[in-house]
Structure formats: structure tokens, C-alpha cells
Amino acid sequence: MPGMTFAVVNPATEETIAQLDEAGVEETDTAVARATEAFPAWRAVAPLDRARLLRRLATLVEEHAEELARIESQNVGKPIGGARAEVAMVAQVFHFYAGAVDKHHGQTIPVAGGVDMTFREPLGVVGLIVPWNFPLNISSWKLGPALACGNTVVLKPAELTPLSALRLAELVLQAGIPEGVVNVVTGPGRVVGQRLVEHHDIAKIGFTGSTEVGRSVMQGAAGTIKRVTLELGGKSANVIFADADLEQAAASAPYAVFDNAGQDCCARSRILVERSVYDRFVELLVGATRKVMVGDPQDEASEMGPLISAQHREKVASFVDGQPLFRGDVPDGPGFWFPCTLVEASNDDRVAREEVFGPVAALIPFADEEEAIRVANDTPYGLSGSIWTENGARALRVARALESGVISVNSNTSVRPSTPFGGFKQSGFGRELGMYALDGYSELKNVFMATS
Ligand code: NDP
């Protein structure tokens, strides 16, 4: 919007770190027009050349890793160590999709009277709407496959955290990717995001964010029958069986929910523990949570930073009433700090039903395997989850029974560049990462050629 600006704030200090022009409908339309113009030439780039350009982008991300990690750490309040790991993943993702360009191909299908073949065609201009919790990472998960398939892009970062996307857009140009292929528009979701969703020249929306906005994206996309990929909220279970390595499960459980200050759609924020080992596990978990280093994100030793905003801190606080089982410490002074918090709950409590998106974990006991599966699945979400057991058959049985897109056994990790990521139920649909993401950024065309 001409003349309008907005402030970008460091959530650990509450200081303004940038003042940016706020885009509106007009600027969004201009970006879409630029992407539309750039599309024919970009789709025509030979696969190996497109791969080379993506590879160069990956290398530039590596070369600027420390700078990008500092930007992300200051804008999101992430501990610098975690920010470095995220930037490393961004480079890996671009390397992966550089390698994928010429491996995403069609088939020939035996038919009567001729030859039948399929082609993977780019969609055109895609709109990518990205949240504030992992701004650069989630951008790369969408940009990598979109560009590999030959689409051009309008990327809308969250207004709270636009800085790393703006720097990435400069590296895109430096890599030799032509002007207009990647366009970043910074403005409010209800204006810029909404415009992308409804725009006639946008073929697809790749969205990560809340289930509520995801629903409105789906509704808005209906007008133009746009393709959508939705990666929404989660309320994932970390299921601890009595036969697990309890020490290991308890030592890693805090990081499964307090990492990124709990602002993670994969946060294992319901910790389900078999009743026979409940007391012992709680004792180990409290000990492990006490050790989480909460503090200045620029400090190398920090493991958890502040929440993203004062408004979000208010929302997170509303989930904790009464005396929790455990509440950690936070630094004094400015910053949107919230302590690591453990509460005992039933699966019907609000803290166990809604996505808190903060460092609050609900402990829920269960009697046996059947009850564990029932409680874990008793949620509208289905994004991720963990199973801790030394019994391999049980691990596989429960993994198959959980209504979740991403499960880990004796681990709490969820994302890798080469493996599919996405949700069941109201956690969304479509898959990011791996070769699977390419399906969401291309159309399958069938061509029959008569030979008789
Ligand atoms: P939103 O869903 O509002 O934001 C996600 C992205 O969508 C942002 O870029 C936002 O832009 C944009 N957006 C907002 N409104 C619209 C719209 N009407 N049309 C198109 N795009 C829009 O999430 P919040 O930031 O409000 O977070 C709220 C809750 O959502 C969190 O507490 C958490 O529970 C969940 N969440 C889940 C995430 C996940 O990874 N699955 C990520 C983030 C949040 P802008 O912010 O600039 O307005």
C-alpha cells in the first residue's frame, strides 16, 4: 500500500530491527504479473540448466549460512545453534531439488493402437504463503519443488518474519535465476495472502499456517479451482510405553515440544505415558526439562528463546491455569518469554485438544496399547508423533494404527529433505519434501499417439 510501512521486531529484545514497505493488492498484482511474464522462459530452461541454477542457489545459501542464521535468529528469536541447523537444511533442500529436476519424468503405458505417454507439466505461477515459525525452512520446502518443476513463484512470508525471505530473494538473483521467477511480497495475510488465493493467474497455493486460515484458503481457492497444499496445525502424541528406554525417552521429550519455544506444528505436546511407569517417567522428565537452557538466542548455549510476539504469549498463557506440574525460569527484562511448562491433563482438556504453539506439554497416562492408540488418535489433527518402545512389532503395529502423516520410533525427528512430510485429518493434505512434493507442483498430462 503506497506510503504504508510496518515494523519488524526482534522478539528477544522487543526492538525494531527493520521498517518495511507494506504491500497491498496493487503490489501483489504487480508481482503476479512479473511471475506470469517470467513463466514461459523459465519453463523452457533445459532441465540440467535449471538443476545447475538450483545447485548454485544451494551453494550460495551455504556460503551465506552464518548471515542467514543471524537474520533468522534475530527475527524469530531462535537460538543461533538451531537457526544454523535450519539454514543447513535449506541448502540441503535446494541441493535435493537440483538433483530432482531431471528425475521427475513421465511414463509410457502399454495401450492398443498406439503409444501412450505421460508428461509432468508445470502449473504456472504458484503462490507460497509461509508462517513465522520456520520462515526460511518452510519457504525452501515450497520453493525447491516449485522451481524444479518449472513454475514461477510469488512468496508471501509472514509479516512478523519477512527478513530471511527478502535476503533469499537476493541470493536467487545472484544464483542466476532470472528476474521475475521468484517474487517476494511483504504485507498482511488478509490482504496479500487473500489476493493470491483469489487471483485468476495463480494456479496453486502452497500454504503453511493455522487450520483456521487453511480453511479460508481452501474456500477462497474454490472460486478458481486452484490447487492447494495445506500444512496446518498439529497436536501430536509422544507415546511412551513401559518397555521403552525411559531415560532416553525422557531426555529427548523436552526438545520434542520446547524446541522453537513450542512454536512447531510437529511439537509432541501430548506426552502419553503407560501408567505403570508414569511416576518414574515424570520424575525423569522434570529433571530433563529443568536442564533446558532458556535465554538470549545469540548465546551459543541457548536452547530455547522467546515466543514470537506479546499477543502470542497471551494466547499461550491462556492454556495454563492453576499450578502446573513444572514451570521453568525465563530471563528478566524485555522479550516475549514464556517458561517451559509441564501440566497433567486428560485428553479432553483444552490444553490437550488445541494447538498451544508454545512451550507447554500435557502429560496423559494410559493403561495399555489399545488405549494409547485411541487417545493418540482422539484429536482433529494428524501431523506427526513418536512411539517409544523396545518391542519392534509393537512399534510397527502402533505406527500403522496412528492417524498421522509422520511418525518416528525411538526418536522425535520429523523432517528430512528426501522424505515426505504432511498431515492426515485437519492437519492438511498434500506432501512436502522428497520426490512427493513434486506431484503438488506439476500437472500430469497424458498423450496418446496413434501408430496404426
Ligand atoms: P496464520 O495461519 O494466520 O498465518 C500463516 C500465514 O498465512 C502467514 O503468512 C499469514 O500472513 C498468512 N495469512 C493470514 N491470514 C490469511 C488469509 N486470510 N489468507 C491468506 N493468507 C493469510 O497463523 P498465525 O500466524 O496467526 O498463527 C496462529 C496459530 O496458527 C498459531 O498459534 C499456531 O497454532 C498455528 N500455526 C501453525 C503453523 C504450522 O506450522 N502449521 C505455523 C504458524 C501458525 P500474516 O501473518 O502476514 O498476516
Side-chain angles (χ1 to χ4, degrees):
M1 283 170 263
M4 299 267 286
T5 63
F6 66 98
V8 181
V9 170
N10 178 339
T13 62
E14 303 185 34
E15 284 164 1
T16 296
I17 49 176
Q19 194 77 35
L20 300 180
D21 290 336
E22 182 168 305
V25 168
E26 203 180 304
E27 290 79 6
T28 309
D29 288 354
T30 304
V32 175
R34 270 200 309 264
T36 306
E37 203 186 324
F39 175 60
W42 178 243
R43 78 174 297 181
V45 171
L48 277 178
D49 290 334
R50 202 180 306 140
R52 204 170 285 136
L53 291 167
L54 280 173
R55 181 83 65 201
R56 215 180 279 159
L57 176 59
T59 305
L60 279 171
V61 169
E62 285 165 344
E63 287 170 5
H64 293 80
E66 187 61 20
E67 177 199 352
L68 290 166
R70 293 271 163 207
I71 292 173
E72 203 78 323
S73 173
Q74 278 173 15
N75 195 174
V76 192
K78 286 175 189 291
I80 186 67
R84 284 188 189 118
E86 285 172 31
V87 172
M89 187 190 187
V90 170
Q92 286 167 17
V93 167
F94 289 133
H95 277 304
F96 180 88
Y97 287 108
V101 172
D102 58 355
K103 294 168 196 70
H104 185 234
H105 38 60
Q107 295 174 313
T108 53
I109 302 171
V111 291
V115 176
D116 194 283
M117 58 204 127
T118 63
F119 294 88
R120 298 281 182 174
E121 306 286 14
L123 299 170
V125 182
V126 299
L128 308 180
I129 302 177
V130 172
W132 43 261
N133 54 343
F134 296 98
L136 201 55
N137 236 294
I138 294 178
S139 297
S140 74
W141 300 359
K142 299 181 194 312
L143 277 170
L147 297 177
C149 290
N151 303 285
T152 55
V153 167
V154 179
L155 170 66
K156 195 212 96 58
E159 261 205 314
L160 290 167
T161 58
L163 299 184
S164 55
L166 289 169
R167 184 66 185 114
L168 184 69
E170 292 170 355
L171 297 180
V172 164
L173 291 179
Q174 204 178 321
I177 294 172
E179 293 262 0
V181 172
V182 175
N183 306 273
V184 177
V185 185
T186 55
R190 63 183 187 288
V191 179
V192 173
Q194 185 72 18
R195 182 66 177 170
L196 291 174
V197 168
E198 291 172 357
H199 204 295
H200 274 83
D201 295 335
I202 295 274
K204 179 224 165 93
I205 294 287
F207 173 83
T208 300
S210 61
T211 297
E212 191 192 348
V213 175
R215 202 170 282 125
S216 91
V217 167
M218 236 176 130
Q219 277 162 353
T224 48
I225 317 290
K226 254 183 206 59
R227 281 82 186 115
V228 283
T229 301
L230 300 177
E231 203 273 273
L232 309 175
K235 195 70 213 175
S236 299
N238 186 3
V239 185
I240 321 285
F241 286 100
D243 62 8
D245 178 338
L246 289 188
E247 276 74 15
Q248 207 193 333
S252 93
Y255 300 95
V257 57
F258 303 137
D259 213 23
N260 213 39
Q263 303 166 125
D264 183 343
C265 47
C266 289
R268 274 75 166 158
S269 54
R270 291 183 300 150
I271 307 180
L272 276 49
V273 187
E274 193 160 352
R275 205 180 293 280
S276 59
V277 294
Y278 184 81
D279 290 343
R280 172 75 186 130
F281 184 81
V282 166
E283 188 187 329
L284 290 167
L285 179 65
V286 168
T289 305
R290 221 182 276 287
K291 290 189 194 143
V292 176
M293 300 284 294
V294 182
D296 178 4
Q298 302 307 310
D299 183 338
E300 299 284 337
S302 281
E303 294 178 312
M304 190 177 106
L307 293 171
I308 192 69
S309 66
Q311 192 192 357
H312 188 55
R313 180 170 58 184
E314 243 173 74
K315 181 189 155 193
V316 171
S318 76
F319 283 92
V320 186
D321 41 34
Q323 188 56 32
L325 178 71
F326 174 82
R327 179 185 279 132
D329 297 323
V330 291
D332 294 329
F336 309 122
W337 302 96
F338 196 88
C340 293
T341 307
L342 299 171
V343 299
E344 292 185 294
S346 101
N347 201 52
D348 296 325
D349 294 337
R350 179 169 167 250
V351 69
R353 299 219 69 81
E354 295 179 22
E355 186 172 47
V356 178
F357 230 57
V360 181
L363 278 146
I364 305 170
F366 66 84
D368 54 20
E369 186 178 312
E370 194 189 333
E371 191 186 9
I373 293 168
R374 186 176 54 70
V375 173
N377 286 339
D378 181 14
T379 166
Y381 295 112
L383 189 53
S384 60
S386 296
I387 301 159
W388 290 81
T389 174
E390 295 291 288
N391 177 335
R394 163 179 276 167
L396 274 182
R397 210 162 49 229
V398 177
R400 295 297 306 275
L402 292 185
E403 296 160 352
S404 261
V406 189
I407 308 276
S408 32
V409 175
N410 297 334
S411 158
N412 295 313
T413 53
S414 300
V415 289
R416 290 171 183 79
S418 57
T419 61
F421 176 73
F424 282 24
K425 304 198 286 190
Q426 291 187 33
S427 288
F429 54 81
R431 291 294 177 268
E432 305 209 279
L433 297 172
M435 296 300 280
Y436 301 87
L438 299 166
D439 292 347
Y441 287 93
S442 56
E443 288 283 18
L444 188 60
K445 180 184 285 172
N446 191 69
V447 176
F448 170 75
M449 188 187 284
T451 53
S452 53

